[in-house]
Amino acid sequence: MLNKRNLKRSHGAIIIILCVLTVIVLYISYRFFSISVTKTVDQVNLEKRAQNLYQNQGQASVKRGQIYDSVGNILAENASVYTVIAVLQKDQPSYVKADQIQEVSEKLAQALGGEAKNYQKVIRNGQKQNYFQVQFGAKGANISQDKYKKMKAAKIPGIIYEAHPSRLYPNGQFASDLIGTVSAQGSDNIKGISGIEGSWDKQLQERAGLSALSIRNNSMNTNEKAVEAKNGSDIYTTLNIKLQSTLEDKMNVLQSDLNPKQSFAAIVDTTNGNIVAETQRPTYNATTNEGFGNFWSNILTQEPYEPGSVMKGITLASAIDTNNWDGNATYNSGQIQIGDKLVKDWNNGKGWGRISFSDGIAESSNVAMVLTEQKMGAKTWGKYIDRFKFLRPTDVGFKSEAAGSMNFRYPIEQASTAFGQGIQVTPIQMLQAYSAIAGNGDELKPHVISKIVDPNTKKVIYNAKREKVGKPIKASTASATRRELENVIYNPKGLGSMYAIPDVRTTGKSGTAQIATSSGYSQPGDNRNEIHSWMGMAPSDKPRYMMYILVKEPQTHTDNLAKDMSGVFIPTMQQALQLNSGDEKVVVSDRQQIKIPTVTNEAVNKAKVEIEANHLQVETIGDGKLVKRQYPEGGQSNLANERVFLQTGGNIKVPDMHGWSKRDVLAWSKMVDIKIHASGEGYLTEQSVLPDTALSDGIHEITVKYEIP
């Protein structure tokens, strides 16, 4: 009976065990079924994770394009930022142990800021919730490389770091409105949102490659077409880094003293329309985004304003071009009636008695401009506003460029535009218009991009060229306008004497515009509610550069307006006028590796300047005008003072190769398909064909000798 009882107990235990096992098997089957259908575990999509894994493994390492000044100094480059993570799972090689929480929290507080107790709270809550890992919000995100290295060296227990692509702007607050910034710093998806970063985002954006092996619909699919990985294109701006640095410094002084609501300055190369330096206030640090704020716009292209008396230079040029200007003729200054409206000169209508029109330019007389507009006729004046390309975007390339606006229906409105009221323009429109006055009557499109280089093919895919958008005035008109505007500076009655550049004949036009409000314009003489500006050109007879400065509503020390604005204009223009090829160089040490610029398809003269600016020697092959090939190719690294060969086609001559290395001789020979017979080692001391001998004379091989110095 005992055996039967034990047997029954054994059978019962077996049944219970089988039931438990059945439940376990059913649960496991359910989990497998659930996973196979939903492909999700603990809210993690396994298919997506696996797909990302395979995709990431199939991707080549690609980078966003970088931004440079005109010769290759870096303005925006790729970098990494880091997210701080505390690992809590005990099965990991390194995790935060219970007795380490205090130590870890104190070290995190020391490195990241804040109080240790807050880090403790995050870690303990993560352990309580059985989290695999925890992060620390904004304080633990977007950690710079320098801070990352310091924290890594501190060896904080259980702390790991996740890298994310980022952008670094090594010059900080530096033409930030032009260069721009990106969003999602610290994520894996960087997108430009302002400036060049935003408007040229498509060109800068990299394309992640994918091999033909990927996962789709829970099965291996090897038939998918592979996507080629491509780096984003590199963009070279027209900026000169040294001139830009000077402009930033001088504008900081102006901003500190005058505290205007907005200010702006730009220098343009009159030979090609290139903006060689530009800045604005308010501005921001693109790396930290300090100063970016909730609302920010680009003054250059997005902020139309009434230009005031700077517009008088355009009125003057239009009158000269239509034979409606006589500087020696006289008029009664002070005020003039137009219908039921009274236009006054800026000194509250007192004027200066009966004066010449040339003196009226010097004194910036509104009445002189009204009379000039009436002499031309509104129809003619309106045509010249159009010929100078106002009221339309310049299409320089930035998104959301404003077109401006104008009131031009009634005689008072037509007359007001002649002295810069009732018409709104952007600084870039004014720079474009004045390029016709600074030059030979040709109006040039401004450029902020010098070239765009595809680093994948080493080809220049865009190369800025001098672009004429119109010819609103004759060359003789431009010259006569500049001479007349000299009265602003050199006439004893002129208001711009402080803008004279020492030892350089200067010309230009100052401007003051009242602020339009719902109740009318602000009162003349109220500097804090006015827009002050200066457009200057030098040398006057043949301007090499022109500079525009704009100060909106200065709030302090307004008596220093002329001093501070000329304090920006004179030293910056002096530096610009003294620029030579030696001033446009990338600063490197003698043994530093230099990135060779890509200059294929560029004009030879421009290519030479760019190569030499990077501390490299240039050897031109042929007498063609464009670079057809280069060696070494762009994007490769080289030491300072090494040779770069530019093949231009046309008539090719044998160079003087004395002192050349064997590497350079062979490079030249390959580019021209000439056979070299060599003896010795070292540097070339003898060559069998005289320098300047044309290859077309039947030269097919050259014998050379090398010797070690």
Side-chain angles (χ1 to χ4, degrees), residues 56 62 138 149 173 180 185 191 263 269 304 404 452 478 600 678:
N56 290 336
V62 290
K149 289 177 181 178
Q173 181 180 295
Q185 293 271 47
K191 184 175 179 60
S263 59
D269 184 333
I452 301 176
T600 50

Side-chain angles (χ1 to χ4, degrees), residues 619-687:
E619 187 65 35
T620 305
I621 301 173
D623 58 2
K625 301 299 183 183
L626 293 176
V627 178
K628 295 182 177 180
R629 290 172 55 206
Q630 71 175 87
Y631 178 84
E633 290 186 345
Q636 297 185 30
S637 295
N638 215 340
L639 294 175
N641 298 315
E642 294 291 325
R643 280 185 178 82
V644 175
F645 294 90
L646 305 180
Q647 168 69 272
T648 69
N651 299 312
I652 299 175
K653 296 181 179 181
V654 176
D656 184 350
M657 295 185 283
H658 286 84
W660 284 23
S661 67
K662 183 178 292 187
R663 168 188 171 275
D664 287 344
V665 174
L666 292 176
W668 177 83
S669 68
K670 287 181 180 179
M671 293 194 79
V672 298
D673 195 22
I674 290 291
K675 189 173 183 179
I676 298 292
H677 300 283
S679 63
E681 296 293 334
Y683 295 89
L684 190 144
T685 57
E686 297 179 17
Q687 62 184 78

Side-chain angles (χ1 to χ4, degrees), residues 468-662:
K468 176 182 170 181
V469 296
K471 192 175 179 68
I473 56 177
K474 298 181 288 290
S476 58
T477 298
S479 178
T481 302
R482 295 194 302 269
R483 286 196 302 271
E484 195 69 69
L485 290 177
E486 287 182 20
N487 284 299
V488 175
I489 296 175
Y490 299 108
N491 187 318
K493 299 178 181 179
L495 302 178
S497 60
M498 72 292 297
Y499 292 103
I501 300 173
D503 303 319
V504 179
R505 192 73 174 175
T506 313
T507 188
K509 186 68 189 79
S510 58
T512 303
Q514 283 72 55
I515 303 295
T517 67
S518 58
S519 58
Y521 285 96
S522 58
Q523 292 300 310
D526 183 4
N527 288 335
R528 292 178 300 173
N529 289 302
E530 292 176 331
I531 301 172
H532 307 270
S533 55
W534 167 255
M535 179 74 79
M537 298 163 279
S540 179
D541 60 337
K542 191 176 181 180
R544 182 67 179 83
Y545 293 97
M546 65 178 179
M547 184 173 185
Y548 193 26
I549 304 172
L550 193 67
V551 177
K552 293 186 179 182
E553 300 178 77
Q555 299 302 298
T556 57
H557 304 138
T558 57
D559 290 342
N560 292 340
L561 267 165
K563 174 187 172 184
D564 287 346
M565 290 174 68
S566 62
V568 175
F569 175 73
I570 292 176
T572 315
M573 281 289 282
Q574 282 178 317
Q575 183 179 351
L577 292 168
Q578 293 167 4
L579 283 178
N580 54 55
S581 59
D583 293 307
E584 295 191 6
K585 287 188 179 294
V586 178
V587 180
V588 297
S589 63
D590 289 341
R591 305 306 296 172
Q592 181 177 335
Q593 291 284 318
I594 299 167
K595 181 181 178 182
I596 298 172
T598 300
V599 295
T600 50
N601 300 320
E602 285 193 9
V604 173
N605 290 338
K606 181 180 178 182
K608 284 183 176 180
V609 170
E610 191 169 345
I611 295 292
E612 291 171 351
N614 282 269
H615 297 263
L616 298 165
Q617 297 185 56
V618 180
E619 187 65 35
T620 305
I621 301 173
D623 58 2
K625 301 299 183 183
L626 293 176
V627 178
K628 295 182 177 180
R629 290 172 55 206
Q630 71 175 87
Y631 178 84
E633 290 186 345
Q636 297 185 30
S637 295
N638 215 340
L639 294 175
N641 298 315
E642 294 291 325
R643 280 185 178 82
V644 175
F645 294 90
L646 305 180
Q647 168 69 272
T648 69
N651 299 312
I652 299 175
K653 296 181 179 181
V654 176
D656 184 350
M657 295 185 283
H658 286 84
W660 284 23
S661 67
K662 183 178 292 187

